[in-house]
Amino acid sequence: MAIRRHRLPRFWLVLTLGLVAAGVGSAYWWEKQLPAQLQRAAEQGRLDDCLRYGEQLAALRWLGGKAPLEQGRCRRLKAQELWRGGEWAEALKLQLQLVNSGTSTPADQQQLLSWQQQLETRALSLYREGRLEEALGILSNLHTAHNASGTALGDQLDEDWNRQKFLKDRAAQLIPQKRWWEALDALNRIEHPWWQEQSLPLRRQVEQGIESLRDPRERNHDVHGGQLDSNVPAERLNDLITQKLAQGFDDWQAFSAACEELGGLVVEAGPETTCRR
């Protein structure tokens, strides 16, 4: 029994070493077969097989294997196939793998940049049409629709969209108060074509409100909609306010500066404001 106890561990040790050697030998043998398999797959246009063989070969590189040119060729062709099929995220992923490998060319890098720019251009076009969600969906293929620092294009579009909406909402809130110049200033800050179109009804209301100030019956009314009497020329005051707004003044600065330029002082009484000499 004592002799058997000593022989069993030795037997298992030998068996284990034999299996390890066999496994290494098999892996080495398969590693030697893979380049030929990969080359045939590439020549026959079996791109999925080619990519699979390439991944297996990469896993065996610890045995000294090198990434063959066929692997890069298959990645290049498969990426193009995916791109044409509208599978942009997968195409970009594969193209990036190609660029980061040792089998890429300067043209591969240029192709990656071109595809990224095409998606950004497409997203910006959708955004200008007012299709924010579709634009963000396009950018998601770049995996940069959002990021923690807020510098991705998707974050920029989202932020700009909310700013345009805020300006339109602000104008809508100011119009019932007859704060025409403040409403006009908010509308003039809207730069997005789609939001400009959406705010056209508000702009017409503001223009009508400002025009009413030029009516002789309204000349004693405050340009902000109040009922305090003003003894400065209303049309001249309105013209000066428009000029100041065009120079970058905000609505209150424009009104105050125009009033002072006409030799008046800003007079406030509760919610009403006017310019008097």
Side-chain angles (χ1 to χ4, degrees):
M1 294 297 294
I3 294 176
R4 291 179 181 174
R5 282 198 299 269
H6 286 290
R7 286 181 177 176
L8 284 175
R10 184 176 180 181
F11 168 78
W12 288 112
L13 177 61
V14 172
L15 179 61
T16 300
L17 291 175
L19 290 174
V20 170
V24 171
S26 297
Y28 187 77
W29 176 84
W30 182 238
E31 189 263 347
K32 291 300 183 182
Q33 301 301 312
L34 277 174
Q37 296 281 356
L38 192 153
Q39 183 176 1
R40 281 196 294 272
E43 291 173 350
Q44 296 171 7
R46 294 183 287 113
L47 300 181
D48 291 331
D49 290 340
C50 183
L51 292 176
R52 185 172 66 255
Y53 294 144
E55 292 173 358
Q56 292 175 7
L57 187 60
L60 295 173
R61 281 180 185 172
W62 61 277
L63 294 176
K66 297 181 180 179
L69 293 177
E70 286 81 359
Q71 183 182 28
R73 179 188 172 195
C74 290
R75 282 175 171 170
R76 185 179 300 111
L77 294 176
K78 185 63 177 180
Q80 293 172 0
E81 178 183 290
L82 290 169
W83 182 265
R84 290 192 297 269
E87 299 181 59
W88 302 319
E90 290 302 315
L92 289 172
K93 179 182 177 180
L94 200 56
Q95 190 71 12
L96 182 60
Q97 290 177 354
L98 171 61
V99 168
N100 291 335
S101 72
T103 60
S104 64
T105 66
D108 295 323
Q109 174 69 36
Q110 188 58 42
Q111 182 66 84
L112 177 63
L113 294 175
S114 175
W115 284 347
Q116 291 171 337
Q117 291 169 359
Q118 286 181 48
L119 290 183
E120 290 182 356
T121 300
R122 183 181 179 88
L124 287 172
S125 178
L126 289 170
Y127 177 71
R128 285 192 292 270
E129 295 174 8
R131 298 156 67 180
L132 174 64
E133 294 304 321
E134 292 180 58
L136 295 179
I138 291 291
L139 292 177
S140 67
N141 292 281
L142 296 171
H143 304 290
T144 58
H146 300 279
N147 63 20
S149 63
T151 58
L153 179 58
D155 289 322
Q156 295 173 13
L157 296 185
D158 203 23
E159 180 180 348
D160 183 68
W161 182 271
N162 290 331
R163 186 174 67 86
Q164 307 293 321
K165 182 178 184 300
F166 169 80
L167 291 170
K168 177 179 179 292
D169 292 343
R170 174 169 170 74
Q173 293 170 358
L174 292 169
I175 288 174
Q177 304 174 44
K178 296 186 178 180
R179 296 163 64 179
W180 307 120
W181 294 111
E182 293 176 76
L184 179 62
D185 181 55
L187 293 173
N188 286 341
R189 293 175 187 271
I190 296 177
E191 301 170 347
H192 190 290
W194 187 82
W195 280 108
Q196 288 176 341
E197 183 178 352
Q198 297 300 306
S199 62
L200 281 178
L202 298 178
R203 181 173 289 276
R204 284 193 286 268
Q205 293 183 53
V206 170
E207 291 172 349
Q208 291 172 3
I210 292 175
E211 184 63 29
S212 70
L213 299 177
R214 296 188 172 92
D215 191 305
R217 294 170 298 178
E218 299 290 337
R219 288 192 176 185
N220 290 331
H221 291 181
D222 167 40
V223 295
H224 279 64
Q227 299 297 320
L228 291 175
D229 290 338
S230 174
N231 58 0
V232 298
E235 291 186 15
R236 180 58 180 155
L237 179 62
N238 290 333
D239 291 340
L240 285 174
I241 290 174
T242 301
Q243 293 175 18
K244 303 298 181 185
L245 289 171
Q247 294 170 8
F249 288 64
D250 65 33
D251 54 284
W252 181 251
Q253 291 173 337
F255 174 71
S256 301
C259 179
E260 182 178 355
E261 193 168 322
L262 290 175
L265 294 173
V266 176
V267 179
E268 297 184 70
E272 299 181 12
T273 305
T274 192
C275 176
R276 291 186 60 79
R277 288 173 178 165

